[in-house]
Amino acid sequence: MKKTWTKLFTALTLVTVTILTVIVSGCASGNTSDAKRYDNSINYFYADAEGRTHFMVNDVLLDDSIKGTVEAFISCDGSVGLARAGTGLFKIDGSGISKLYPAGVQRALLSQDNNTAVFTTATEVHIYDLRTGELNDVKPEGAASIPSIVISPSGNSVGFTVKDASGSFTAYAYEAGESRKLAENAFIAGISDGAKRFYYVRPDDASLMYVSGSSSREICKAVSSQIEFNRDLTEALFDIDGSTYYSINGSEAKPLIEGASVCSTNAECRSTQGGDICQIDVLDCATLFNCVFYSSLTSSSDGRTAYNLWYVDGGRHTTALVKGASQFRILDDKSRIACLVDGTVYLMNSKHPGDREQMAQNVYSFNVTPDGKSFYYIGVDLGLYYNQDSNEPKLIAPNAVYSLLTPEGKCLFISDFSDTGKLHLADGDSPVTDIAENVAHIEVMPHVCFYYSGMYNNGSHDVYDVFSSADGLSFEKSVAGAYMNNGD
């Protein structure tokens, strides 16, 4: 459920977003043909023995590192990231690490095209062109703090909020080297190219406002602290009293699905913006709709997350799909969904939910290739099963506890787990390959697979070793003695 306004009325130190947004809740992935894919990944690990944070871009360990721990990290699409360490701001990409600003950074954001970084210090806004290295410093008069920053889709307009000594909020836009006032009693929440339209929240009553040209209107009152926009900010999603509403071009708020707080699956990539009072996600897609929406809750039966699913078309008409799914994944054709409900895996058409096929029963968890042809299941008996082209599932290994698909669609899985277990790779119904022992956990990102060793003590802290592989088969130690508290 999206957080309410009051629950997020605390300072955020650099807008943070996990690099795992490519997979929604570890279970879903969806994008329309116009949506940018999350095809790369940046991962980082703090090695306590050296006191430095090491970065991997896809499967490549960078030669550079940052002294100390990373307190916050953001990335729009996994190819470029911004990290704050020791209040300094750094850019990380495949070419290495570069320091953008030495100290005092409070919050930062990255434009969707990865060309512009916007960040704040105590009373200033800084705009950094990542292509040229040009830095513009904006020093608003009378600023006691800068509680919010946003950027337009092309990066040519920056919005920021100034809080003065009396506690009043004023929204501004910065374009072509000049600042101009947008609105008073306003906390900036979104801005279009050229600031032709923008959104702000009134701090006194949490009203969401829309301004286009000389026209200003109220969308709703008591808006949630989390707001989602599509790429050009013509569509908005937000919660009111725990239910999700939408607005199109600043229209009055309308309920999307009565009584449900839901999220769109249309975008893998997003620019996370905002600040103290609300978090803004500008999703890198043309529309938030024509896709599956989901809500999540904790199941009372086993404590796992359960998902309710709906399909919402371009006219915001909704079709109920599934209630209480333990897992779901949207396949690459965008129309089919694989989901696990009450121990049974189904393959269904999101636009025609009556068209569904039962794939397997007595299932605890599953993985499926993006084309929907190959499934790997862990059964309630802890057997790992394989099913291709809707044939009968075939047992390929016993005592499996956790599994993930590699980027090539093979299955990494852990068996015989106590505090640690054994790592294996399954490729269809071919003989299973043994990879390693003393494995505590596995992760798969675009272009890279990780496994983490069991914890051990280096004399002062519990640490672990990080092993990486591009194909899930040939792993090598990338980071030794990684410290658990790495700022995530």
Side-chain angles (χ1 to χ4, degrees), residues 83-102:
R84 193 189 67 187
T87 74
L89 188 66
F90 299 81
K91 171 193 171 186
I92 300 95
D93 62 17
S95 64
I97 301 171
S98 55
K99 181 180 285 188
L100 304 185
Y101 207 76

Side-chain angles (χ1 to χ4, degrees), residues 222-293:
V223 69
S224 62
S225 61
Q226 292 175 287
I227 303 172
E228 291 182 325
F229 295 107
N230 65 331
R231 186 186 295 126
D232 64 4
L233 284 85
T234 56
E235 301 173 350
L237 288 173
F238 44 85
D239 275 13
I240 304 173
D241 293 331
S243 296
T244 297
Y245 287 68
Y246 70 90
S247 172
I248 308 297
N249 291 317
S251 64
E252 181 181 356
K254 296 179 181 179
L256 186 61
I257 298 168
E258 293 284 357
S261 176
V262 297
C263 298
S264 169
T265 63
N266 237 2
E268 295 179 357
C269 305
R270 64 189 64 208
S271 173
T272 299
Q273 308 177 19
D276 285 355
I277 293 178
C278 56
Q279 177 177 299
I280 309 302
D281 283 323
V282 182
L283 278 60
D284 201 348
C285 58
T287 180
L288 302 172
F289 307 105
N290 287 323
C291 71
V292 172
F293 279 70

